[in-house]
Amino acid sequence: MVSVKGWNLPKPRSTGPPYATKSQVVAVLEQVAVLLELKGANLFRTRAYQNGSRALASMEEDLLTVVQEGRLTQVKGIGKGISGLVTEAVLEGTWGELAGLYDSVPAGLIEIIGIPGLGPKRARVMYEELGVDSVESLKAACEMGHIAPLAGFGDKSQQKYLDGIELLRRYQGRSRMDIGLTFGRAFEARIAAVPGVVKAQLAGSARRRRETIGDLDIVAAALPEDHDSVIESILSFPGIAEVKGHGESKVSLILEQEMLAAASGGGSMDAQLVEAMMERSADATIDAQVRIVAPETFPFTLAYFTGSKEHNIRLRQLAIDKGLRLNEFGLFSEEAAGEAIGMEAAKHTLPCTDEADIYRHLGLEWVTPELREDMGEVEAATIGASAGLPNLIETSDLRGALHNHTIASDGVNTLEEMAAAAQALGWQYLGIADHSEVLNIGGRQIGVPADGIPAQAKMIQTLNETWADAGTDFRIFHGSECDILVDGALDYPDSTRRSLSHIVGSVHALGSWRGRDEIANTEALIRAIENPTFTILGHPTGRILQGREGFPVDMHAILRRMGELNAEGQLKAVEINASPYRLDLDWRLCKYAKEQGVPVCINPDAHDTEGLRDVWYGIQVARKGWLEAVDVLNTRSGVELQALLGL
Ligand code: DGT
Ligand code: CA
Ligand code: ZN
């Protein structure tokens, strides 16, 4: 993530007085006015600082003299409070209570008001209503259409902010998985098609399926005499925003959208996913590095640049233990290599035609890239180890999903349309979980009122009967994405929840949850989970990748409690929200959930028919988190799930 610089109070000058200069004081007063406005202070206080700043700026006399002679309050526009503040700053270099004010405002909010046409007042509304506290989270909120419905905003403002963000900076830093993988796979396919390239493969964090990707690493194999022409071809690709550098065997580039146009072959990502990403993030760019090596070196370079660094270190240590040396060029015995280094030493390499050969020489089974994080995979891969590597889940293992929206709340498709799309994916069921009654955005009600549930139930029942009569193995499960209120109670009357097939409990009023500590949040969440009607914990921390942090919570404690409830025979599952903006539950916690006996449910949280395909990202997270098909609730058949939900 790009590190955002907020505002800081000036340090006192080393000699003085004055310990603060006039321009420093003018700037601080102006900043204080903005900070107060961001915090919602009353207009008079804000004005006082604005006026004070202006008054000082236009004052011709020497500030120190005026302060020392005690004449500051005589300056028009400067009241007693500000006079005291300025006096302290000038004579001592300290700023009274202001440090607390500076600390209390997220740095990201300061950056937001740098966007043209976006002032503190609106920044504050978006912060309070939606938790928008950085340029990234604002961008995400605009892209998801959450800004336009806010009172006084509208589509025009939403678009204006998106344009403003683009102006503010060419997107730097890390990219979401959908952006990184779309670019990565398109670029990989283009390179693989270059004459002279024997093979090309995406490496780095993209191959390891991290939730965000810093830069793309691609390894290409070509005969040494072809390297020059291969590099030339790559440099002539469309969609290169900038060439950062190129040498004999390496090219560094910045890629932009044109790279994706008409790119052949998305690998395991289908065309619709690519399209969805392009729609969501039309302005995305990403850095990429290509390394071109001789074909016999390819497996070593691929393994090295796939990483992770931590995994590589473990492999290198295993090599050392066997008297071998492992690097990006080869795996060779210290003895044979002797004094030689680099490519020279690599001439002595043990032959390896693929990564599996390298792992075998080190006494390991081949480790799938998602697991290469040194989180137990080296031990599990050790040949003869008792536990062994997991047999990871695949997209084709899913039989449905349980958290999806329709036009009844904030979705854009009808029940029938969503069901048809689910059937087209080969699913046996679709869980509908529209928002519950309390959910509103900027005063506009989004959720389904309790008295609207019976009508939805009727429609679903009719559809289910039609499929049953036709002998079609498909059904809709009528659930709700029920708000978890601040105290851990669930929205809706108990009777409403009991009438539903499943409850996805989610926190949406993030402000209150982020404003209190981990212990209070954990208690409230456990209370919600213990509610007998509760089935699935939706997007557990509320995080938006590249945007906002989730609320503080002890997820281990939550998963332990859920494990106990499952042991008592109650079905309590945790969601991997598969939206590439969320990917929450984090992959790092999946293994723990599994160890505690908590089923994981991979949910697209689809708001339209295309959104169902996002489960692919959820599968990547589940795989990275060591999950097998059996660990995931929605690999169960429609009939099995029906029984599990007590229907
Ligand atoms: P990213 O780009 O920040 O999302 O993460 P990665 O994992 O793609 O990291 P990157 O691009 O810096 O380097 C690619 C791989 O190269 C990395 O996963 C492992 C390998 N690598 C890079 N630097 C080192 C290093 O200093 N030591 C070792 N053992 N491996 C390294
Ligand atoms: Ca990388
Ligand atoms: Zn949802």
Side-chain angles (χ1 to χ4, degrees), residues 377-618:
E377 77 280 7
V378 174
E379 289 74 9
T382 302
I383 291 167
S386 54
L389 288 162
N391 181 15
L392 299 178
I393 184 173
E394 291 175 22
T395 310
S396 58
D397 291 322
L398 294 183
R399 298 286 170 267
L402 292 175
H403 174 184
N404 302 289
H405 299 262
T406 70
I407 48 172
S409 63
D410 56 349
V412 304
N413 289 105
T414 61
L415 274 175
E416 290 87 346
E417 289 163 349
M418 293 297 285
Q423 284 177 293
L425 291 173
W427 289 357
Q428 297 172 356
Y429 49 89
L430 183 69
I432 293 298
D434 274 309
H435 288 293
S436 67
E437 185 153 0
V438 295
L439 192 76
N440 68 76
I441 297 182
R444 190 170 69 95
Q445 176 155 15
I446 300 287
V448 182
D451 62 13
I453 291 288
Q456 195 178 41
K458 192 102 213 318
M459 292 197 305
I460 289 173
Q461 194 190 349
T462 307
L463 288 169
N464 282 344
E465 279 165 8
T466 313
W467 290 311
D469 290 347
T472 307
D473 185 13
F474 189 84
R475 71 281 290 146
I476 292 176
F477 292 123
H478 186 199
S480 165
E481 181 177 19
C482 203
D483 254 71
I484 300 176
L485 309 178
V486 164
D487 62 355
L490 295 175
D491 194 17
Y492 281 149
D494 208 42
S495 57
T496 302
R497 271 182 275 107
R498 286 187 189 286
S499 75
L500 296 166
S501 61
H502 63 291
I503 296 294
V504 179
S506 301
V507 168
H508 288 111
L510 277 186
S512 335
W513 293 74
R514 293 169 82 196
R516 65 182 180 189
D517 67 24
E518 180 174 327
I519 294 172
N521 284 337
T522 305
E523 278 172 9
L525 222 47
I526 285 180
R527 185 178 161 220
I529 290 161
E530 286 174 343
N531 187 307
T533 60
F534 184 103
T535 327
I536 300 168
L537 179 58
H539 47 70
T541 70
R543 77 175 182 188
I544 299 287
L545 292 169
Q546 301 297 97
R548 61 174 191 225
E549 302 271 317
F551 56 81
V553 65
D554 183 349
M555 201 48 72
H556 289 98
I558 301 283
L559 292 170
R560 271 196 304 278
R561 182 70 189 122
M562 291 178 87
E564 287 167 11
L565 293 167
N566 276 285
E568 291 166 16
Q570 300 189 50
L571 175 61
K572 306 284 181 185
V574 65
E575 170 176 280
I576 292 178
N577 189 292
S579 161
Y581 286 93
R582 295 191 184 268
L583 304 179
D584 178 20
L585 192 68
D586 192 283
W587 59 268
R588 295 162 188 82
L589 285 160
C590 291
K591 206 174 171 190
Y592 191 75
K594 161 185 181 156
E595 285 163 4
Q596 296 302 309
V598 181
V600 171
C601 190
I602 299 175
N603 282 324
D605 197 355
H607 286 69
D608 55 30
T609 52
E610 287 305 309
L612 293 174
R613 296 175 183 275
D614 280 350
V615 288
W616 190 84
Y617 299 110

Side-chain angles (χ1 to χ4, degrees), residues 255-266:
L255 310 182
E256 61 187 5
Q257 289 261 322
E258 266 183 272
M259 169 68 54
L260 308 176
S264 61

Side-chain angles (χ1 to χ4, degrees), residues 311 314 318 363-365 367 374-389 591 626:
H311 179 83
R314 292 293 305 273
L318 285 176
L364 302 176
E365 308 273 2
V367 176
D374 191 22
M375 287 179 67
E377 77 280 7
V378 174
E379 289 74 9
T382 302
I383 291 167
S386 54
L389 288 162
K591 206 174 171 190
W626 291 62

